[in-house]
Amino acid sequence: MLPRRRARVGRTGGAEKKRATRMPDYTVMNQLLYEGKAPEVQAMTQQAIDDGITPQEVLSRGLIAGMSVVGEDFKHNRLYVPEVLIAARAMKAAMTVLKPLLSASSDDSDRRCTIIMGTVKGDLHDIGKNLVCMMAEGAGFTIVDIGVDQSAHAFIQAVNEHNAKIVGMSALLTTTMPYMQTVIEALESDEMSHIKICIGGAPVSQMFADEIGADGYAGDASSAVDLFKSFDDQFAMSS
Ligand code: B1M
């Protein structure tokens, strides 16, 4: 359980005081997320945005920071699946506020290629994948999110159907990450080795990506967008 702390009291003057009153109390926000209070977390997220805080800051200090405490307590059996699900639901509620802001593309002429995103078979975690989708959409990519627990066949079908150039796979479990290799091998045997394959998720690493023959690895959503951009720039140069 996160320690309950008293709300910060601003004792500064002038502009600093103004900023202090506008800053969300991230400790409270982390605690509300931990307790799975979806309406409250969503309202605090909306308030922070209305007060001019960037969506990236609210996401990392308010939501991801809270979720990492949930993860730690889950790991040490201080929290169980139902509580984690409730916290995840609160995070998702807050993300509905951030999604349009993270996905808002500045200019349609910036449109980039189509990416198939999914969480691999056996794995139901989708918060990180959804964040990658939102941020990539914001960078001008067309995202086809095929969801969680997806087979190699589903990835291949989506690539064909949407004429995609990149596949992004997410895995959060050490037991499901090997399935990424199954997808890569299936794409290769279907003569799709020109498709760039990017992987991510907490247990995944650059070393694992190299081992299974993925084209790229990203540790977080913004690195994923940089990776997608580098591949898209290569496509533009070679066409
Ligand atoms: Co689960 N879970 N979970 N879980 N869960 C973990 C992953 C775990 C590490 C918790 C722990 O023990 N500390 C552990 C895995 C241990 C392991 O494999 N070694 C675990 C376990 C064991 C399980 C179950 C087996 C528990 C059980 O049933 N006994 C079970 C499995 C269910 C299944 O999938 N078949 C399970 C279930 C669940 C819930 C359903 C309750 C829920 C998921 C809800 C949902 O996603 N809709 C859940 C949650 C919430 C977590 C933790 C607490 C949080 C994950 C999360 O959302 N993080 C997690 C602990 C942890 O990770 N610290 C845990 C926030 C998110 C923003 O980060 O997903 O890492 P992340 O995404 C990042 C980057 O990784 C990267 O960018 C994202 C944004 O920066 N990224 C990509 C992710 N995907 C990418 C794809 C890309 C690029 C970058 O493509 C190019």
Side-chain angles (χ1 to χ4, degrees):
M1 174 96 176
L2 275 174
R4 283 185 188 278
R5 287 188 209 138
R6 287 172 58 199
R8 259 176 274 139
V9 182
R11 282 197 286 155
T12 50
E16 262 187 58
K17 183 171 182 179
K18 202 171 168 206
R19 175 150 174 81
T21 53
R22 279 176 43 223
M23 275 286 282
D25 190 329
Y26 289 119
T27 310
V28 171
M29 204 164 166
N30 295 167
Q31 180 72 34
L32 289 169
L33 185 125
Y34 184 96
E35 291 173 10
K37 302 260 167 62
E40 289 85 348
V41 178
Q42 189 174 8
M44 273 194 90
T45 303
Q46 185 63 60
Q47 186 62 53
I49 296 298
D50 294 346
D51 288 345
I53 309 291
T54 64
Q56 287 79 7
E57 182 181 314
V58 187
L59 178 64
S60 70
R61 296 185 62 189
L63 306 178
I64 294 183
M67 208 60 196
S68 58
V69 185
V70 172
E72 271 306 292
D73 280 4
F74 188 30
K75 187 171 162 185
H76 296 104
N77 295 324
R78 290 188 287 262
L79 283 184
Y80 298 98
V81 173
E83 290 140 314
V84 179
L85 262 181
I86 293 167
R89 205 178 302 153
M91 173 129 183
K92 283 189 170 181
M95 275 161 51
T96 61
V97 175
L98 300 182
K99 183 173 194 295
L101 305 166
L102 294 171
S103 321
S105 186
S106 46
D107 182 352
D108 246 17
S109 65
D110 291 346
R111 288 293 343 143
R112 289 176 175 267
C113 69
T114 297
I115 302 175
I116 307 299
M117 281 294 306
T119 302
V120 296
K121 196 170 178 170
D123 200 320
L124 303 176
H125 296 84
D126 66 355
I127 295 174
K129 167 188 68 64
N130 294 348
L131 267 174
V132 173
C133 291
M134 284 176 204
M135 295 196 54
E137 238 165 50
F141 289 93
T142 300
I143 298 294
V144 178
D145 179 0
I146 60 171
V148 297
D149 190 20
Q150 292 299 319
S151 66
H153 175 70
F155 278 99
I156 290 174
Q157 206 176 12
V159 168
N160 282 328
E161 193 178 326
H162 299 280
N163 195 20
K165 291 188 172 169
I166 300 177
V167 164
M169 285 186 274
S170 183
L172 265 286
L173 299 171
T174 46
T175 50
T176 57
M177 54 191 265
Y179 194 78
M180 291 173 151
Q181 186 167 11
T182 306
V183 178
I184 294 175
E185 285 167 2
L187 282 161
E188 277 166 3
S189 65
D190 239 48
E191 292 177 9
M192 290 190 183
S193 39
H194 57 287
I195 304 291
K196 295 290 179 194
I197 299 161
C198 305
I199 63 168
V204 178
S205 63
Q206 182 62 58
M207 197 195 284
F208 178 70
D210 296 341
E211 253 173 57
I212 65 170
D215 297 292
Y217 156 77
D220 57 46
S222 67
S223 325
V225 172
D226 290 343
L227 189 63
F228 297 154
K229 280 183 180 165
S230 73
F231 287 128
D232 194 52
D233 291 344
Q234 283 175 27
F235 300 143
M237 284 197 316
S238 60
S239 65

